[in-house]
Amino acid sequence: MARHIVARTSDIPPGGNKVFGVEGRDIVVFHVNGEFFALLNRCPHEGAPLVKAACVARLTSPEPGVYQRSRVGELLRCPWHGWEFDMRNGQSWFDPQRVKVRSYPVAVESGEELQKGPYVAETFPVRVEDNYVIVEV
Ligand code: FES
């Protein structure tokens, strides 16, 4: 799996998202609670663009009349028919055994680390003496 630099962290504000074309796929990256999540921008039901999904909380109820919110903003509600997916792994809450959105690993790294790169060209000292350029090997 190749690594692709898609954006600066400031390009996707907290609570926001953005779609990037990566190797022929539209991938939507969400910025939620200080974390970034990447999913295929296509609902597995009928193909709705998940960039337009609502980012909602998980609601649970220990007893009638009482409900608790957790993981605020980490669940996606599809804009077309309301199926919900876990942003962390793409798992469906409607049919977790069979329905899933493709998710991708995301990393945030400093520009300095990225700038170094894995390949470094060999360099040699150069100086000028009496109008002659001298390279030391
Ligand atoms: S297209 Fe997403 S729930 Fe139908």
Side-chain angles (χ1 to χ4, degrees):
M1 186 177 285
R3 290 160 45 97
H4 300 271
I5 301 169
V6 295
R8 299 178 66 90
T9 52
S10 58
D11 292 337
I12 310 170
N17 59 36
K18 198 163 185 179
V19 177
F20 301 97
V22 180
E23 292 191 357
R25 302 178 190 117
D26 278 350
I27 294 178
V28 57
V29 179
F30 293 90
H31 184 180
V32 178
N33 302 327
E35 291 185 83
F36 290 86
F37 303 99
L39 298 128
L40 192 66
N41 186 30
R42 186 174 197 287
C43 178
H45 178 216
E46 290 186 356
L50 292 178
V51 67
K52 296 186 183 297
C55 298
V56 298
R58 182 174 183 217
L59 274 182
T60 52
S61 177
E63 60 185 271
V66 177
Y67 68 91
Q68 298 162 337
R69 286 164 35 106
S70 62
R71 302 185 56 200
V72 177
E74 289 186 20
L75 297 182
L76 288 175
R77 182 177 298 142
C78 181
W80 286 1
H81 309 102
W83 288 18
E84 292 182 340
F85 301 93
D86 189 326
M87 210 181 271
R88 288 187 181 275
N89 55 20
Q91 200 75 55
S92 161
W93 286 87
F94 167 72
D95 189 354
Q97 303 307 317
R98 297 189 316 160
V99 180
K100 189 173 185 172
V101 177
R102 176 83 191 265
S103 63
Y104 301 90
V106 179
V108 175
E109 296 179 10
S110 77
E112 257 177 36
E113 288 169 18
L114 293 172
Q115 197 173 19
K116 271 188 200 166
Y119 308 108
V120 178
E122 192 171 3
T123 61
F124 304 93
V126 177
R127 59 193 162 88
V128 176
E129 285 181 19
D130 293 332
N131 296 324
Y132 292 98
V133 177
I134 300 160
V135 176
E136 295 176 20
V137 178

